[in-house]
Amino acid sequence: MDLEEAFKKLREPFPANQISKLPKPTKGRDEMAKISRGTCKICGGYHAISNIIHLDYVGHAALTDRLLDVDPEWSWVPMAVDQNGLPLFDKQGGLWIRLTVCGVTKPGYGHADGKTGGDAIKEIIGDAIRNAAMRFGCALDLWHKGDLHA
């Protein structure tokens, strides 16, 4: 696949079966804590059943599949490492990375909003990869709040 074809593939809209729903509260934390919780009919998650909107997003697996389709040797590296050679997180707990696809490198940033532990680190890495992939055009239609090409 040549570079032009690869970058066109990265920008293709994701099919509906690869788009997930992310619940986001519409009220403050204290108000949301008072709302009864249940299994959501939209996303399948367990959260407040009112005052929630759902945002479309492409998850780590679907994005990884797209990157592998375009460049089986894509890679990412942290922008900084600690004294042990591990990714260095910033003061907010986020991670800056460099994502390389087809020999082209773009920056990305990931954060897990106060979560901790191993799952938070995986979430941060996935978020950083999705953020950097957006700079290649991946899922731009989902990031944009309107009609991007109207």
Side-chain angles (χ1 to χ4, degrees):
M1 179 178 307
D2 70 15
L3 199 56
E4 184 178 339
E5 187 181 340
F7 288 154
K8 274 186 180 177
K9 175 75 175 163
L10 287 172
R11 291 193 63 139
E12 286 178 5
F14 282 79
N17 66 306
Q18 292 183 344
I19 298 173
S20 300
K21 300 286 186 184
L22 180 67
K24 288 288 187 181
T26 60
K27 303 283 183 187
R29 202 172 271 179
D30 292 340
E31 262 187 87
M32 293 305 291
K34 298 173 188 172
I35 298 171
S36 61
R37 299 168 65 90
T39 301
C40 179
K41 294 177 182 168
I42 296 172
C43 69
Y46 187 80
H47 55 74
I49 54 175
S50 63
N51 294 314
I52 292 289
I53 60 170
H54 287 83
L55 304 177
D56 290 338
Y57 78 100
V58 173
H60 186 75
L63 179 63
T64 298
D65 184 59
R66 174 69 56 91
L67 293 171
L68 287 169
D69 282 348
V70 169
D71 178 7
E73 296 188 28
W74 72 273
S75 64
W76 72 271
V77 294
M79 282 196 185
V81 294
D82 67 14
Q83 64 275 11
N84 298 315
L86 298 172
L88 184 63
F89 293 83
D90 66 18
K91 292 177 184 174
Q92 291 76 35
L95 177 68
W96 282 98
I97 70 163
R98 290 183 183 94
L99 175 67
T100 302
V101 182
C102 298
V104 177
T105 301
K106 306 269 185 179
Y109 183 78
H111 197 273
D113 290 327
K115 297 176 186 171
T116 60
D119 285 339
I121 291 171
K122 291 187 295 186
E123 183 175 328
I124 291 166
I125 292 167
D127 190 44
I129 292 170
R130 285 190 303 273
N131 182 266
M134 179 192 60
R135 277 126 184 81
F136 285 97
C138 287
L140 279 181
D141 54 322
L142 301 181
W143 287 84
H144 187 68
K145 303 300 181 216
D147 185 352
L148 189 59
H149 298 286

